[in-house]
Amino acid sequence: MFKIDLIAGARPNFMKIGPIHHALQKFADKIQIRVVHTGQHYDQNMSTIFFEQLGLPKPDISLNIGSATHAHQTGKIMMAYEDLIIGDKPDLLLVVGDVNSTMACALVAAKLNVPVGHVEAGLRSFDWEMPEEVNRVVADRVSNFLFTTCDDGDVNLIREGFDTHQIVLVGNTMIDSLFRLLPQAEKSKILKKIGVKPREYVLTTLHRPSNVDNPDDLRQLMQMLVKLSKKMPIVFPVHPRTKNKMIGLEGIKEEDFRNIHLTEPLSYLDFVKCQKEAFLVVTDSGGVQEETSALGVQCLTARENTERPVTITKGTNRLVGTDPDEIYHAAVAVLNGDIKAGIPIPLWDGKAGERIADYIVKNLVNAVTQ
Ligand code: UD1
């Protein structure tokens, strides 16, 4: 049996590993998959519900690391994962995305000479203040196989000196999950529960440290949302990081929030429904830029840069920076009809997980088992 470890760490990982897991399972006669959950995200609504809705099996191993500073969290994941694989080495480690769990496990495996495959390789924001950029670059550097979502990733990796044989353009596994579960998401009753109508609300998510960690910046963003909510109601599922920072934030009055529906983090199906029916999405998330482009929904990204430029060149995303006035004016322009048409992004077709599985079987499993 060819043994593969698949790492699940934080919320955006779960929808990326689902399609890989499903596709690899078709080769269960040759491949044994071990799902390792680091516990970086651990809540019911940040983790468990995603496993249930994505049809993922319960993790084979839970490392239960939890929240901590970057060094503590990364270090604890590394120690726990090293202990695990010293006793039982896989033939391949697969990591996805750019969270601390991705980098931590990739580093451990590389030092124990376990081949590493990085799914969503090559994305670059060129912003070293983003923890995810450090994670991306390190994970790519120690990986043997670089599975990319789009040409931009290939270009970045080639510029950094990677061998073209290591780079495999497969498409986007997050979009595989989106397309597979869209019919189910359509049935969600979340809009009714929140009290909004299709195409008559703005959806927002904000959790990047650069937007929410500084109270002054967060206050100004919230004041901008209050102003925007007078034009159209806003649905705002609040990430735990943002919630922690919002508690006790001065200068914001409860009555200002009449048109802002603050909710707990939503389940996968409810959140997809909210994206699909939104008139506009304002976000600083990476994945949401991609999902809105795939759904053809207008998206404004409240960041100074993006590692996902294909969502701008081909999709419906626009980068508007972090200045609250700029975000407000761009949002009002969209509400007034400034709509960006997107075109389909190559290979974002629901089959990326299958391409990864086929590559692994053809190039690694068959080579070992023949
Ligand atoms: C992490 C990822 C980020 C990703 C985001 C998606 C890194 C460096 N960052 O950021 O790339 O976009 O996840 O959600 O890996 N918390 C809970 N419950 C949980 C998990 C976290 O309440 O299940 C709280 C904790 O108080 C924690 C805070 O959220 O301190 C932040 O969590 P953490 O995993 O450190 O980073 P994120 O901001 O979620």
Side-chain angles (χ1 to χ4, degrees):
M1 277 289 191
F2 187 90
K3 294 195 281 182
I4 300 180
D5 273 2
L6 192 52
I7 302 296
R11 185 172 61 177
N13 288 167
F14 308 139
M15 36 290 219
K16 293 172 193 168
I17 67 164
I20 305 171
H21 189 272
H22 295 318
L24 285 172
Q25 263 188 327
K26 293 185 188 135
F27 303 97
D29 55 325
K30 300 176 179 174
I31 297 176
Q32 193 181 323
I33 317 163
R34 179 166 68 173
V35 175
V36 180
H37 193 326
T38 64
Q40 176 173 347
H41 286 175
Y42 44 83
D43 282 348
Q44 164 71 19
N45 60 6
M46 293 292 282
S47 176
T48 317
I49 184 96
F50 285 80
F51 270 73
E52 289 164 10
Q53 294 191 341
L54 290 159
L56 277 163
K58 277 213 169 74
D60 298 291
I61 305 282
S62 294
L63 302 179
N64 297 318
I65 298 304
S67 301
T69 62
H70 282 269
H72 280 260
Q73 188 175 59
T74 307
K76 282 185 192 168
I77 297 169
M78 287 182 71
M79 289 191 282
Y81 187 58
E82 186 184 59
D83 285 346
L84 177 71
I85 66 172
I86 279 179
D88 190 0
K89 248 189 188 186
D91 298 299
L92 176 70
L93 166 70
L94 283 179
V95 291
V96 300
D98 56 16
V99 301
N100 286 343
S101 304
T102 310
M103 178 187 74
C105 295
L107 265 176
V108 170
K111 291 203 171 193
L112 290 171
N113 298 323
V114 172
V116 181
H118 183 204
V119 175
E120 201 186 89
L123 297 185
R124 297 289 181 267
S125 66
F126 305 101
D127 175 0
W128 283 102
E129 287 184 16
M130 270 185 98
E132 294 83 0
E133 183 73 355
V134 179
N135 293 340
R136 288 179 202 117
V137 171
V138 175
D140 282 345
R141 195 67 265 168
V142 299
S143 289
N144 307 68
F145 308 100
L146 300 149
F147 298 105
T148 54
T149 55
C150 60
D151 290 342
D152 301 325
D154 295 36
V155 171
N156 291 332
L157 292 168
I158 289 164
R159 195 190 296 128
E160 289 174 21
F162 285 92
D163 187 332
T164 49
H165 292 105
Q166 292 176 270
I167 304 168
V168 193
L169 178 59
V170 289
N172 193 325
T173 63
M174 187 177 235
I175 304 304
D176 293 4
S177 287
L178 179 69
F179 288 166
R180 185 171 71 85
L181 291 168
L182 194 54
Q184 254 170 278
E186 299 271 20
K187 294 183 199 141
S188 157
K189 303 269 184 293
I190 188 69
L191 301 191
K192 212 167 188 186
K193 196 167 158 208
I194 293 173
V196 287
K197 297 206 177 87
R199 315 283 301 152
E200 291 183 14
Y201 63 91
V202 175
L203 174 68
T204 192
T205 78
L206 296 167
H207 75 280
R208 290 255 98 77
S210 55
N211 277 333
V212 305
D213 279 6
N214 177 317
D216 288 331
D217 294 343
L218 181 58
R219 182 179 311 108
Q220 286 179 34
L221 279 172
M222 293 307 298
Q223 285 165 344
M224 180 276 293
L225 290 179
V226 168
K227 203 163 122 192
L228 184 61
S229 72
K230 292 181 179 140
K231 305 262 176 202
M232 193 179 262
I234 294 180
V235 173
F236 184 2
V238 186
H239 187 282
R241 167 185 283 280
T242 312
K243 188 175 174 185
N244 292 343
K245 304 290 173 185
M246 275 166 75
I247 293 167
L249 193 68
E250 286 168 16
I252 307 282
K253 293 189 255 57
E254 220 177 305
E255 60 264 31
D256 291 341
F257 280 77
R258 265 191 299 267
N259 271 339
I260 304 185
H261 302 269
L262 298 175
T263 75
E264 290 294 312
L266 297 178
S267 74
Y268 181 68
L269 296 175
D270 286 346
F271 189 69
V272 168
K273 173 76 173 177
C274 281
Q275 285 190 86
K276 172 89 193 328
E277 303 295 353
F279 191 92
L280 165 68
V281 177
V282 178
T283 190
D284 60 8
S285 153
V288 173
Q289 296 173 55
E290 298 184 336
E291 289 171 337
T292 47
S293 278
L295 291 168
V297 172
Q298 300 298 301
C299 180
L300 299 178
T301 295
R303 286 175 44 188
E304 298 299 340
N305 49 60
T306 178
E307 61 289 334
R308 293 163 160 90
V310 72
T311 61
I312 294 171
T313 53
K314 296 202 166 69
T316 50
N317 185 24
R318 284 181 267 205
L319 198 58
V320 290
T322 52
D323 179 75
D325 285 336
E326 300 280 334
I327 302 168
Y328 176 78
H329 290 303
V332 171
V334 176
L335 300 188
N336 288 335
D338 177 14
I339 300 297
K340 184 179 180 200
I343 54 167
I345 299 174
L347 299 182
W348 291 22
D349 57 359
K351 296 190 175 129
E354 286 171 29
R355 288 187 200 100
I356 293 170
D358 289 345
Y359 179 89
I360 290 170
V361 170
K362 196 163 154 228
N363 295 282
L364 302 171
V365 180
N366 288 347
V368 168
T369 51
Q370 261 164 19

